[in-house]
Amino acid sequence: MEVGPTAHYAMGGVRVDPETAATTVPGLYAAGEVAGGMHGSNRLGGNSLSDLVVFGRRAGLAAAEFALAKGGSVGFSEAELDAAAADAVAPFDGDAKENPYAVHRELQDMMQALVGIIRTQSELQEASEKLEVLKERTRHVSVDGNRQFNPGWHLALDLRSMLTVATLITQGALIRQESRGGHTRDDFPDPDYAHWGKVNLVQRDMGGGQIAIREEPLPEMPADLAKLFEEE
């Protein structure tokens, strides 16, 4: 049996309020490995179960309270719904230049080779360039068959999100010029406490286009939690 190191999980994730697990989108809650900020620069094995138990409960309670407080019906734009539906089935009418499985495989191989466990500036920049090429290729992905259990269609849709996440990981790794936790830069092998006692917050503009990364200071640990650490 071949054994080798691989990316097991990510330490980042969707920004949530620690008390309610609420995201920045009203009515949307996140708990578990999709949520960021709970485990710092490394998540120890086994933490995910306690994470789900604690923050899953908080998310459920807060979501129920949010729903009960809402009155009347929820409005939405018919035009936006029609546009989303058309976008979802667009791969069936693609120009047949690209196969989703081929693009997916190249994305996997490239991220493993250039944005893997040990990272460098030159490889991360190369990955950024390759991601732009893969994004363009994804626009030409086509699928065959019908809408009933069509894995190729599902992958064609998933590729868009995969490319977004890959871009965020790569850009975040480029910006953080230090090594900390699960992030290792061969060209910056030590932690830089003078500059990097911060978190990187990534946000896309409301139009769904430009992605921006900004730095924010680490939040202060609550006094009752800090006291527990001092006692230990």
Side-chain angles (χ1 to χ4, degrees):
M1 180 175 64
E2 182 180 356
V3 177
T6 185
H8 181 200
Y9 50 77
M11 272 64 77
V14 178
R15 187 179 198 176
V16 296
D17 175 79
E19 300 302 322
T20 63
T23 70
T24 56
V25 178
L28 181 63
Y29 298 80
E33 290 187 48
V34 71
M38 301 302 172
H39 304 290
S41 61
N42 202 354
R43 181 179 70 78
L44 302 177
N47 282 19
S48 55
L49 180 58
S50 55
D51 186 339
L52 285 170
V53 170
V54 173
F55 295 101
R57 180 177 185 275
R58 294 183 182 187
L61 290 172
E65 291 176 2
F66 178 87
L68 289 171
K70 297 291 288 185
S73 59
V74 178
F76 62 93
S77 166
E78 289 281 356
E80 290 184 2
L81 181 62
D82 292 340
D87 187 54
V89 298
F92 287 106
D93 299 317
D95 54 21
K97 290 182 179 180
E98 295 289 349
N99 181 292
Y101 292 100
V103 177
H104 180 230
R105 180 59 184 266
E106 289 192 36
L107 174 62
Q108 284 184 313
D109 291 344
M110 185 277 292
M111 290 296 288
Q112 177 72 15
L114 301 178
V115 198
I117 295 173
I118 308 297
R119 298 160 173 175
T120 64
Q121 184 87 6
S122 60
E123 290 182 342
L124 291 169
Q125 288 175 335
E126 183 182 351
S128 294
E129 295 168 3
K130 289 181 180 292
L131 282 168
E132 292 305 312
V133 174
L134 289 170
K135 289 175 187 175
E136 179 59 31
R137 290 178 60 188
T138 299
R139 296 188 181 97
H140 298 281
V141 159
S142 295
V143 296
D144 297 319
N146 54 40
R147 303 183 193 180
Q148 284 75 41
F149 190 70
N150 189 326
W153 178 32
H154 302 163
L155 181 57
L157 298 178
D158 289 343
L159 274 173
R160 306 170 189 177
S161 298
M162 291 178 184
L163 285 162
T164 297
V165 173
T167 300
L168 300 186
I169 291 172
T170 303
Q171 293 302 315
L174 264 171
I175 290 171
R176 188 169 285 271
Q177 296 182 337
E178 65 155 3
S179 293
R180 184 186 299 269
H183 166 67
T184 302
R185 288 281 299 265
D186 199 36
D187 43 358
F188 296 94
D190 301 313
D192 180 2
Y193 293 98
H195 179 73
W196 283 111
K198 305 173 183 178
V199 294
N200 292 341
L201 181 65
V202 183
Q203 197 164 23
R204 190 191 291 273
D205 64 36
M206 292 301 291
Q210 190 66 31
I211 293 174
I213 302 178
R214 71 173 187 269
E215 300 169 8
E216 287 193 0
L218 286 172
E220 290 289 331
M221 184 181 295
D224 56 341
L225 184 57
K227 188 173 184 295
L228 292 174
F229 278 86
E230 292 169 4
E231 290 175 355
E232 289 297 323

